[in-house]
Amino acid sequence: MVNILGISAFYHDAAAALVQDGRIVAAAQEERFTRIKNDASMPLGAIEYCLAEGGIERNGIDVVAYYEKPLSSFVRVLRTFTAIGPSGFRTFPRAMDEMLRRKLWISFEVDRALKSLGFSRPGTTVFAEHHMSHAAAAFYPSPFDSACILTFDGVGEWATSSIGVGSGNSIELLEEMRFPDSIGLLYSAFTHAAGFRVNSGEYKLMGLAPFGTPRYRDRILDKVVDLRDDGSFAIDLRYFDYLSGRRMTSDRFGHLFDGPPRQPDSPITQRECDLARSIQDVVEDIILRIANHAHRVSGRRQAVLGGGVALNCVANGRLLRDGPFEQIWVQPAAGDAGSALGCALWAWHDVLGNMRPTADGVDSMRGALLGPPPSTVPVAATLSSLSRPHEVLSDPTQRAERLAGLLNDGAVIGVCSGRMEFGPRALGNRSILADARSTTMQQRLNVKIKNRESFRPFAPVVLEERCAEWFEIDGPSPYMSFVAGVRNSTTPVESDPTELLPTDPANLGDRLGSIRSPIPAVTHVDGTARVQTVDAERYPELFRILSAFEGLTGCPVLVNTSFNVRGEPIVATFEDAYRCFMATDMDWLLVEDCLLDRAEQ
Amino acid sequence: MLRLRHAWRLASDVVRYSVDHRAWWLLLIAPIIALAVVMVSATKASIPYAVYTLF
């Protein structure tokens, strides 16, 4: 058996993945083990878990694959600093320190990490190109035998976006867009301008966009981005400062867009909403043009998406509706964490030349449930030894009916069962569930449980076979990759955009509360939702709960939000879940087959 | 010892990259980089500023 360990580290969201004879066995992000959000350090916890899950012995690691080529990145950094001259004086030492101390020494760091965990050096260490890692993560596990590959992110070595073709076990990258012209960095710059953290606040900007009007769209296209027909573009770098690494935007950017970046704790105004909507529109246009061009170049009817920008499920939804491809599959861990898996698969297929089994229309991500279970010992015994009152519900059907009853009564339930999800989305095993029909649930979850901004939407989970009755989407969406309209919802009548001033308060909570929908807790202000479809094969526990809830209420939809609070990673273990449960206003906690009532704790 | 072995690998990677990409300038600054690695390890602070002036 050939064991390949994939690693991504030292930028953001470090992760490890294990591929055995081409089969995806385990994958996890380091943040879940260290409890540091987006932890970039060498993923010791994730590596240790993956090797244990695969039953790897001391000499058992054949190949270690790393997700980018550090030397190419180093050359890019050197050339960038050479190009910008004196303005990089302050940040150059920090960049060099990081490069010279750690990033150029990856094989050394890997050997040292494995040694500290009691493993021998791997037979080989190989380095994939960053966008090849994204492309491999998107194509190899996809349900297609052949597909057009689109990757979009901030920056790899030099590439920022790429177009390729995957067929059988081979991937060919045909075209690429290069640094500093980058969709990811463009979106991150606007994330910074709207007062959110770069590399983690992009999804907040996406959620804010429907509250705005595209007031700045023309300004972006006239002054900042020179967009061509094939989707390639050139950025006017006078509006940005990310080359030097000091900050994302320049003073000129502030002059063009009515002010400096919002301070993180200051109120959100209409300007931030309009910035969000404008850049979202521009990014969607760019992606659509690239997709049309890629469709012509590749001649494929299916597409797979990878890279951090592929987590923009609003853009994915538009691509699915308005784009040229008949089917689209998005890697659920599309960001850099997923690259750990991508480079491992690349090593198996491309470096070692192994064939890829026929896809048969089913992806090989195994529901993205590739992480560890909540506990390695029986949870009931642990709870008893700690004298925590709990109810054991061994029968899965009875358990589902009990939970459905509680949800129908308005309870909020934390679920920590089975293997943890790989990627940023909680898909039912580390989730908080609630009744989507409640008009007050969205506010309650945001403010009292998740402790996060009031405007943030929640995602629905729906039985796959009932999805089309509730949402305007064709086909399954098991990984929350697409946003689609909610049927029978009406959006509030917007004010005339010309009447709103950039400095006007956004009143996000009021506007979200005015939505009319049969499932208001999961309907965003524009009448859309980020849909997760649930089938019995991938998510049997969640399928049973949804079925029982539908039997009770006639509604096959629930709220599904990640089991964490603001600023923390999603829970991994039973202990993490219990701590989070007790620190919030959640009503019930399900850990494997044990149900805990908060009132009794 | 482990780091020394990897230093040799890194040096050969730099040479291979320079040849593959015709980035001969990288070969010229490689000794400076090597020196910087040593000095960064030794001082951890001010040397990078001096190195930057070379660019």
Side-chain angles (χ1 to χ4, degrees):
Chain A
M1 180 177 286
V2 177
N3 297 309
I4 303 175
L5 179 68
I7 295 174
S8 68
F10 301 139
Y11 185 51
H12 61 92
D13 224 4
L18 180 68
V19 170
Q20 289 185 315
D21 278 349
R23 199 172 70 92
I24 302 166
V25 172
Q29 292 138 279
E30 184 64 3
E31 63 165 23
R32 309 289 168 87
F33 300 91
T34 61
R35 311 305 301 157
I36 300 167
K37 199 164 174 69
N38 304 124
D39 192 354
S41 59
M42 176 58 77
L44 286 173
I47 292 171
E48 188 174 26
Y49 154 68
C50 287
L51 297 178
E53 183 67 33
I56 309 290
E57 293 177 356
R58 184 179 153 75
N59 294 312
I61 307 168
D62 300 294
V63 180
V64 168
Y66 190 69
Y67 82 123
E68 69 173 8
K69 291 179 180 282
L71 194 56
S72 298
S73 298
F74 178 61
V75 168
R76 172 176 54 79
V77 171
L78 280 180
R79 290 182 64 171
T80 301
F81 276 105
T82 308
I84 61 174
S87 63
F89 189 79
R90 275 195 207 162
T91 48
F92 181 76
R94 202 179 59 216
M96 284 300 102
D97 186 54
E98 179 70 8
M99 278 286 177
L100 298 179
R101 202 190 297 277
R102 288 201 309 181
K103 290 186 175 175
L104 281 177
W105 296 89
I106 294 301
S107 53
F108 168 71
E109 295 283 355
V110 168
D111 284 5
R112 193 164 66 165
L114 292 177
K115 191 179 173 187
S116 74
L117 295 172
F119 289 87
S120 305
R121 288 194 302 125
T124 318
T125 303
V126 292
F127 297 86
E129 283 186 5
H130 188 95
H131 274 258
M132 179 57 87
S133 295
H134 280 314
F139 175 65
Y140 289 128
S142 77
F144 310 132
D145 289 323
S146 179
C148 175
I149 303 170
L150 299 168
T151 66
F152 312 106
D153 78 344
V155 61
E157 292 84 9
W158 281 102
T160 60
S161 307
S162 67
I163 296 171
V165 173
S167 190
N169 72 336
S170 74
I171 289 176
E172 186 184 3
L173 297 183
L174 305 171
E175 295 178 23
E176 66 179 25
M177 201 152 63
R178 306 196 105 202
F179 183 80
D181 302 317
S182 160
I183 305 175
L185 290 174
L186 182 66
Y187 204 80
S188 291
F190 279 80
T191 300
H192 167 75
F196 302 119
R197 258 185 69 191
V198 171
N199 282 338
S200 66
E202 281 76 4
Y203 56 97
K204 295 182 188 178
L205 192 75
M206 185 177 72
L208 193 61
F211 291 98
T213 55
R215 183 195 302 267
Y216 301 111
R217 186 180 183 280
D218 291 344
R219 246 180 266 185
I220 295 171
L221 290 172
D222 289 345
K223 306 267 188 189
V224 181
V225 174
D226 178 17
L227 181 60
R228 303 174 195 111
D229 287 341
D230 63 358
S232 64
F233 61 88
I235 286 177
D236 187 336
L237 290 169
R238 292 175 302 170
Y239 293 96
F240 301 94
D241 208 5
Y242 56 73
L243 289 191
S244 71
R246 277 187 306 168
R247 52 185 184 160
M248 291 303 291
T249 56
S250 67
D251 293 340
R252 185 185 281 259
F253 184 100
H255 293 137
L256 184 65
F257 296 113
D258 300 330
R262 181 181 72 91
Q263 292 302 306
D265 293 328
S266 62
I268 292 173
T269 64
Q270 192 55 41
R271 169 185 173 263
E272 283 79 54
C273 300
D274 293 345
L275 277 176
R277 175 65 187 275
S278 303
I279 192 62
Q280 180 67 34
D281 278 11
V282 169
V283 163
E284 286 175 21
D285 285 354
I286 292 171
I287 290 175
L288 267 179
R289 287 191 191 198
I290 292 176
N292 284 323
H293 174 67
H295 182 248
R296 281 194 299 274
V297 171
S298 69
R300 300 299 195 277
R301 290 180 299 171
Q302 283 91 15
V304 295
L305 306 188
V309 180
L311 293 171
N312 191 318
C313 45
V314 179
N316 295 347
R318 176 137 180 239
L319 187 57
L320 191 63
R321 281 193 312 275
D322 303 340
F325 297 106
E326 291 175 12
Q327 290 175 293
I328 295 173
W329 189 82
V330 184
Q331 162 58 241
D336 281 359
S339 297
L341 177 62
C343 64
L345 291 169
W346 167 80
W348 172 253
H349 292 294
D350 199 304
V351 178
L352 301 179
N354 292 295
M355 295 310 291
R356 177 173 175 249
T358 308
D360 286 336
V362 181
D363 71 67
S364 59
M365 282 298 290
R366 304 164 70 184
L369 304 176
L370 300 168
S375 176
T376 51
V377 295
V379 176
T382 309
L383 288 169
S384 297
S385 68
L386 295 169
S387 305
R388 304 286 184 221
H390 64 280
E391 189 180 340
V392 178
L393 299 165
S394 303
D395 181 67
T397 309
Q398 283 181 357
R399 185 162 67 235
E401 285 170 357
R402 178 99 163 88
L403 261 60
L406 293 172
L407 290 163
N408 187 35
D409 293 340
V412 176
I413 303 175
V415 177
C416 181
S417 290
R419 294 184 69 177
M420 184 174 70
E421 298 88 343
F422 179 51
R425 310 260 157 71
L427 300 168
N429 283 13
R430 299 292 183 279
S431 291
I432 296 171
L433 303 180
D435 187 350
R437 300 166 304 160
S438 166
T439 51
T440 56
M441 191 58 77
Q442 198 266 353
Q443 281 286 320
R444 186 184 165 205
L445 284 171
N446 261 338
V447 178
K448 291 195 171 174
I449 292 173
K450 300 276 285 185
N451 189 23
R452 67 183 202 181
E453 299 89 342
S454 63
F455 70 87
R456 304 268 299 278
F458 290 104
V461 276
V462 58
L463 289 173
E464 187 178 303
E465 63 268 27
R466 303 290 306 279
C467 177
E469 297 166 34
W470 292 78
F471 301 98
E472 293 163 356
I473 186 170
D474 294 326
S477 171
Y479 302 119
M480 283 190 192
S481 303
F482 303 98
V483 158
V486 177
R487 293 197 190 281
N488 304 315
S489 67
T490 51
T491 53
V493 178
E494 291 286 340
S495 311
D496 183 350
T498 55
E499 289 175 2
L500 294 168
L501 295 173
T503 50
D504 284 344
N507 295 328
L508 304 174
D510 293 346
R511 289 162 70 183
L512 199 53
S514 62
I515 190 80
R516 296 285 171 266
S517 164
I519 39 175
V522 293
T523 308
H524 204 17
V525 70
D526 57 350
T528 64
R530 191 181 65 194
V531 184
Q532 181 195 356
T533 57
V534 173
D535 60 83
E537 201 173 324
R538 282 192 185 92
Y539 311 107
E541 182 83 19
L542 191 54
F543 181 84
R544 281 190 292 269
I545 296 170
L546 277 168
S547 300
F549 189 74
E550 188 192 21
L552 206 58
T553 65
C555 174
V557 184
L558 285 169
V559 177
N560 173 15
T561 183
S562 55
F563 196 157
N564 64 335
V565 293
R566 187 181 189 180
E568 283 190 9
I570 297 173
V571 300
T573 64
F574 154 63
E575 289 82 4
D576 300 335
Y578 189 79
R579 205 178 304 122
C580 186
F581 171 59
M582 293 305 290
T584 64
D585 273 356
M586 239 177 283
D587 302 306
W588 298 82
L589 171 64
L590 180 77
V591 187
E592 301 294 21
D593 58 354
C594 295
L595 186 65
L596 291 86
D597 182 353
R598 186 186 165 76
E600 293 179 357
Q601 303 303 309
Chain B
M1 192 60 196
L2 189 64
R3 191 179 274 272
L4 209 60
R5 190 166 54 230
H6 284 280
W8 177 249
R9 175 176 176 164
L10 182 58
S12 58
D13 284 349
V14 170
V15 172
R16 197 177 314 125
Y17 183 93
S18 304
V19 173
D20 289 349
H21 295 83
R22 295 171 182 263
W24 310 116
W25 59 274
L26 194 59
L27 283 180
L28 289 175
I29 67 160
I32 299 170
I33 293 169
L35 188 65
V37 170
V38 172
M39 296 184 107
V40 163
S41 301
T43 67
K44 297 181 178 179
S46 58
I47 295 303
Y49 289 97
V51 175
Y52 187 54
T53 58
L54 295 168
F55 293 98

